[in-house]
Amino acid sequence: MTVEEHLAQAKKIVEPFAVEMASLDPWRLDVVILPENLIPVLQALKDAHWGYLSAITGLDYPPADGQEGQLEALYHLVMNGAVLTIRVKVPYAHPELESVCQVYPAASLYERELMEMFGFVLKGTPSTERLLLADDWPQGVYPLRKSFQSGKPQEEQA
C-alpha cells in the first residue's frame, strides 16, 4: 500500500470520531477528537492493525484575553511513512484524560512525561512515578508550560 492509501484507511477509521480533520502534508493526517473518544478511536485503529504509537506530545495554549487556557495531547501513530496525529484538548482547570495504556501499554512513558512536564492528569495510568524531573522537584511546577518560571507553582505564575 502507498502512504496515500494508508492515510485513506486511517481517515475511514477515525472519521466517525472526528471533530475536525486536516491533511497539511501528503504523508500526514491530523484529527481533532473529543476527550471521551480517545480510547474508542485508538482501539479502532489498533483493531484495524493501523500502525503503532510512536509518541505522545503536549502543547500549551495559556489563558489570554479573558479566555480559559487549554492543554493539548497529540497521539502520533505511524504506518509505513504515513503519520496520523490524534489531537485532544482539555481545559487548564481540568487537564484530565483517560490513560491509553489499556490500548498501548508502552504509552506509560509518554504519559509520565505529559504528567510531570505539562500537568496532565491521566486517569488509570499504571505509573505516576517521576520520569524526567528530580524527586525533589516542586509539585505544581510544569516546565513545558509557557507560563513556567523556575521554582514557582503554576498557579502562582499568572
Side-chain angles (χ1 to χ4, degrees):
M1 286 179 85
T2 66
V3 168
E4 292 82 11
E5 290 169 325
H6 285 302
L7 287 178
Q9 181 187 26
K11 185 176 182 178
K12 187 176 178 182
I13 296 165
V14 301
E15 214 160 19
F17 305 98
V19 172
E20 186 179 319
M21 281 197 268
S23 186
L24 305 174
D25 295 304
W27 46 269
R28 190 177 89 186
L29 178 64
D30 277 19
V31 180
V32 176
I33 64 167
L34 298 174
E36 58 268 22
N37 289 328
L38 180 59
I39 300 302
V41 75
L42 292 178
Q43 189 64 59
L45 288 160
K46 187 168 185 180
D47 290 347
H49 304 287
W50 200 97
Y52 61 91
L53 182 67
S54 68
I56 303 173
T57 56
L59 290 174
D60 176 20
Y61 302 97
D65 300 325
Q67 293 195 337
E68 182 180 348
Q70 293 183 316
L71 294 175
E72 184 175 29
L74 293 84
Y75 297 79
H76 308 282
L77 291 93
V78 177
M79 183 161 190
N80 297 331
V83 178
L84 171 64
T85 299
I86 305 296
R87 304 173 75 110
V88 186
K89 288 186 181 178
V90 293
Y92 256 65
H94 253 41
E96 292 184 4
L97 288 171
E98 290 292 326
S99 168
V100 301
C101 289
Q102 61 188 299
V103 180
Y104 296 105
S108 180
L109 290 174
Y110 303 128
E111 290 185 346
R112 288 166 60 194
E113 180 181 7
L114 281 178
M115 289 185 292
E116 70 183 278
M117 303 305 275
F118 284 98
F120 278 89
V121 175
L122 293 157
K123 297 182 290 183
T125 193
S127 175
T128 57
E129 292 178 30
R130 292 258 166 102
L131 178 66
L132 302 168
L133 301 176
D135 289 339
D136 62 350
W137 186 266
Q139 289 293 109
V141 178
Y142 308 112
L144 290 183
R145 285 198 183 178
K146 292 178 181 172
S147 60
F148 173 72
Q149 294 174 12
S150 181
K152 290 185 182 178
Q154 230 64 42
E155 53 275 2
E156 294 177 15
Q157 296 180 22

